[in-house]
Amino acid sequence: SLILKSSSQYPLPQGVKLSYGTAGFRADASILESTVFRVGILAALRSLKTQSLTGLMITASHNKVTDNGVKIADPSGGMLTQEWEPFADAIANSPTPQHFVQLIDEFVKKENIRFDGVRSAKILLGRDTRPSGESLLEAAKQGVYSIVGATAIDMGILTTPQLHWMVRARNKDMKATELDYFEQLSSSFRFLIDLTPNQIKMSKTDDKLIVDGANGVGGEKLEVLKKMLNSMDIEIRNSGKEGGVLNEGVGADYVQKEKVVPQGFQLKDVGIRCASLDGDADRLVYFSVQSNNTSKIDLVDGDKILSLFALFIKEQLSILKMEGDDHVDENYEARLGVVQTAYANGASTDYFRQLGLEVVFTPTGVKYLHEKAAEYDIGIYFEANGHGTILFSESFLTWLNARNNELSSKSKGSEQQKAVLRLLAVSNLINQAVGDALSGLLLVEAILQYKGWSIHNWSELYHDLPSRQLKVKVVDRTAVVTANAETVVVRPPLIQEAINVEVAKYPQGRSFIRPSGTEDVIRVYAEASIQEAADSLANSVAKLAD
Ligand code: NG1
Ligand code: ZN
């Protein structure tokens, strides 16, 4: 068969063992060709099965430049369905072309995938700026083309969220080019800004934003977007054009984990609002340079972005509910939910509960958070590291549109109509497929303007509890099994009891361990009322994990 012939050209290197993990396959780029080729086939099969377009993205996000990775976007624009992950693992590790073809035959039968030519497979391909991306994209195309009748559409260099957005838009028969993406973001942003109360004007220094592009794809895309925003003062550093290395001493992962300034930021930036993207622009954090120690930053992480979004949405919902000349039955009880992981700072969770919001926890990994958030009318999810978005239910959007029409005739320009329009604008601005640093950044900027807030005002919403993250190298990370959204270890036995004993020694102490889904390590997280305590708790728990 065609698959047998072409897969013989992509043999699996010796000793490679890969797992689809939290974010697709990732490894040193030099060993990934056969994997990417096979994922090309997988994306085509997924397209045939769903009779829709799928996506394939080549990126290793915040990992080092010599790494790369590959993942599939489902027709919804979200991550590959979890049901297909075991098959993804099986084909990526299949030792010979013959075995590989056999696996595919069996799966095609089991899933009842038909090759009747009624509708052939279509896959949108994208990659980040890694030098290895070009040849890996070629391998992905070869994979796609080994399925008869399949089409690969090469979109070139994109951010991960752009690719996901395009897959979603195409399957909804909406405009889906890169220009459409920029137009949707910029027009909904300008629309939101136009709805900012007039009395609020920013002071000059609060106007400026400096963005660290992680020397990746995000900086160059933001340059394009910026031209369509006209009114915004954005300076982009580490765009990759100045010769810096991708993710090296720069980017959202570095800034969030190390809590230090990225390369290219210095003393003169004290007091200015700064943001940092990761290598494929699906993570966003904000920060400001500390005036007393210019290597240190005040971090405004994913949890705090979540807080700002939740606060704004909650405000708009309460304006909607205000009593006017409307009937109560026109009110829609929108269910607003906040979704976090165990890595969320405890102070953020307390803050949400004080606001009276419903908070739920899922295991680490966007696929879990996204799924949970989709259960609400408005579901907001974020990982502390800066990956997240806001999801709106179809029924709520339908209601908002109907409400807007009604208010247009009854009380045009009323506060209630403005709130409706703001919520609609947010649903167009914020990426509905996956966390997106560029759309997230524009929403943060719009809300700060709306509230007339500096980054300092925002940061003061609550104070993070001091925390520490460590990783422990182990022989077999799968030996650790967790439950309750990864907050409790169920295996090996007795570890959880020992963790509890340590935690009890510290005021406001909290700690958990879990196997990483992307690295061969056990991650340790600890927080406590002071930094020394968080450090010491993390260290003692790390010893237990070893
Ligand atoms: P793992 O390696 O499973 O902890 C990391 C991040 C996740 C997610 C994935 C995918 C932390 C603690 N973990 O997963 O949140 O972003 O990478 O990139 O930040
Ligand atoms: Zn990323």
Side-chain angles (χ1 to χ4, degrees):
S1 76
L2 190 52
I3 301 180
L4 185 61
K5 196 163 150 253
S6 49
S7 59
S8 313
Q9 283 157 15
Y10 290 98
L12 187 74
Q14 280 280 309
V16 170
K17 174 95 175 73
L18 293 161
S19 150
Y20 200 80
T22 347
F25 296 111
R26 283 192 201 170
D28 192 273
S30 64
I31 62 162
L32 273 178
E33 265 200 359
S34 71
T35 313
V36 174
F37 166 82
R38 291 166 184 204
V39 175
I41 294 179
L42 183 65
L45 293 178
R46 185 73 191 141
S47 172
L48 285 175
K49 167 79 190 187
T50 57
Q51 296 284 293
S52 306
L53 174 108
T54 56
L56 183 152
M57 182 72 194
I58 295 169
T59 177
S61 183
H62 57 278
N63 294 134
K64 55 182 189 287
V65 66
T66 48
D67 282 359
N68 217 327
V70 60
K71 58 184 164 189
I72 290 179
D74 243 18
S76 64
M79 304 294 170
L80 172 70
T81 175
Q82 289 166 48
E83 283 158 30
W84 278 41
E85 284 182 16
F87 178 60
D89 286 344
I91 60 169
N93 296 307
S94 169
T96 64
Q98 287 75 16
H99 179 257
F100 175 63
V101 170
Q102 193 192 331
L103 277 181
I104 291 191
D105 280 343
E106 284 166 13
F107 188 71
V108 162
K109 283 205 190 79
K110 184 180 136 242
E111 289 285 326
N112 198 14
I113 296 172
R114 288 162 47 210
F115 294 83
D116 51 16
V118 176
R119 197 149 169 191
S120 45
K122 222 181 220 177
I123 297 92
L124 221 52
L125 308 178
R127 65 177 181 96
D128 69 16
T129 55
R130 287 178 160 78
S132 57
E134 208 168 341
S135 65
L136 289 176
L137 198 126
E138 199 45 47
K141 273 189 200 165
Q142 293 310 318
V144 170
Y145 288 142
S146 59
I147 298 292
V148 178
T151 323
I153 309 164
D154 181 355
M155 303 303 293
I157 294 178
L158 292 176
T159 72
T160 296
Q162 279 184 315
L163 191 271
H164 284 262
W165 184 94
M166 287 172 186
V167 168
R168 179 177 185 273
R170 276 194 179 235
N171 284 321
K172 285 182 155 267
D173 287 322
M174 302 189 315
K175 294 200 257 167
T177 66
E178 187 172 20
L179 185 62
D180 294 324
Y181 168 87
F182 287 128
E183 264 166 6
Q184 182 168 328
L185 261 59
S186 56
S187 63
S188 46
F189 172 74
R190 288 192 309 257
F191 194 81
L192 260 182
I193 295 293
D194 289 344
L195 286 163
T196 298
N198 290 332
Q199 66 272 23
I200 295 170
K201 283 273 174 297
M202 308 284 282
S203 73
K204 199 67 211 141
T205 55
D206 285 338
D207 254 5
K208 181 170 179 160
L209 170 69
I210 312 178
V211 180
D212 157 28
N215 292 319
V217 58
E220 72 182 69
K221 300 300 182 187
L222 186 57
E223 292 284 4
V224 182
L225 189 56
K226 181 183 152 181
K227 295 198 183 87
M228 302 168 78
L229 301 172
N230 44 54
S231 66
M232 260 182 85
D233 185 2
I234 308 183
E235 181 188 335
I236 299 155
R237 295 188 192 159
N238 304 327
S239 70
K241 280 182 252 151
E242 309 94 334
V245 179
L246 177 72
N247 298 331
E248 213 173 275
V250 294
D253 191 64
Y254 176 74
V255 166
Q256 188 243 349
K257 296 248 160 60
E258 309 294 329
K259 298 194 176 69
V260 295
V261 294
Q263 299 267 313
F265 287 73
Q266 56 247 307
L267 180 64
K268 69 171 170 39
D269 303 322
V270 170
I272 299 176
R273 189 167 74 259
C274 302
S276 195
L277 320 176
D278 77 336
D280 61 341
D282 62 355
R283 287 192 195 176
L284 169 71
V285 296
Y286 273 71
F287 66 93
S288 54
V289 180
Q290 279 189 5
S291 52
N292 52 352
N293 181 348
T294 54
S295 68
K296 289 247 170 78
I297 56 162
D298 286 320
L299 177 68
V300 180
D301 65 359
D303 302 336
K304 225 160 231 167
I305 296 175
L306 173 53
S307 309
L308 187 71
F309 289 179
L311 192 66
F312 179 75
I313 300 277
K314 189 172 182 287
E315 261 178 47
Q316 303 313 312
L317 289 176
S318 50
I319 297 175
L320 274 184
K321 279 201 204 127
M322 276 185 332
E323 280 200 54
D325 49 355
D326 297 299
H327 310 294
V328 183
D329 61 327
E330 282 166 347
N331 287 335
Y332 179 110
E333 268 307 319
R335 278 192 73 213
L336 172 59
V338 167
V339 187
Q340 300 192 294
T341 73
Y343 290 102
N345 197 279
S348 73
T349 310
D350 288 346
Y351 176 76
F352 295 126
R353 297 211 162 116
Q354 269 166 33
L355 285 179
L357 293 174
E358 184 174 330
V359 191
V360 286
F361 287 85
T362 72
T364 302
V366 176
K367 57 192 177 194
Y368 302 114
L369 291 134
H370 191 95
E371 192 172 66
K372 194 74 203 169
E375 292 176 10
Y376 294 88
D377 285 312
I378 308 178
I380 318 180
Y381 71 88
F382 260 89
E383 295 189 306
N385 60 32
H387 187 108
T389 193
I390 310 176
L391 301 182
F392 289 79
S393 73
E394 286 298 335
S395 60
F396 184 55
L397 287 175
T398 305
W399 182 82
L400 279 176
N401 277 306
R403 193 85 183 101
N404 181 39
N405 289 336
E406 197 185 316
L407 289 167
S408 288
S409 55
K410 277 204 305 206
S411 52
K412 203 175 174 67
S414 65
E415 280 311 307
Q416 285 178 327
Q417 190 186 18
K418 283 186 191 157
V420 168
L421 290 172
R422 283 187 198 109
L423 290 171
L424 285 170
V426 172
S427 77
N428 287 321
L429 172 54
I430 200 82
N431 197 322
Q432 297 294 289
V434 75
D436 181 338
L438 300 184
S439 82
L441 178 138
L442 292 187
L443 184 55
V444 166
E445 293 300 311
I447 299 176
L448 290 180
Q449 283 210 30
Y450 170 84
K451 297 192 85 64
W453 278 2
S454 66
I455 188 168
H456 182 70
N457 298 137
W458 173 22
S459 180
E460 289 290 304
L461 278 180
Y462 60 82
H463 292 270
D464 279 330
L465 278 169
S467 69
R468 177 63 60 202
Q469 262 197 63
L470 298 174
K471 38 187 182 181
V472 182
K473 283 223 185 321
V474 288
V475 186
D476 179 16
R477 68 182 195 223
T478 61
V480 174
V481 180
T482 63
N484 293 357
E486 306 179 322
T487 52
V488 181
V489 181
V490 290
R491 256 183 306 164
L494 303 179
I495 288 200
Q496 188 56 49
E497 284 79 354
I499 294 176
N500 294 347
V501 168
E502 289 306 319
V503 168
K505 294 179 186 164
Y506 301 91
Q508 292 181 280
R510 183 169 74 90
S511 182
F512 66 92
I513 64 171
R514 58 174 277 278
S516 159
T518 62
E519 286 176 65
D520 238 340
V521 297
I522 298 290
R523 293 197 197 283
V524 177
Y525 178 89
E527 66 185 30
S529 57
I530 55 168
Q531 189 62 53
E532 292 68 29
D535 292 349
S536 136
L537 178 55
N539 281 320
S540 18
V541 171
K543 286 200 192 93
L544 297 172
D546 211 343

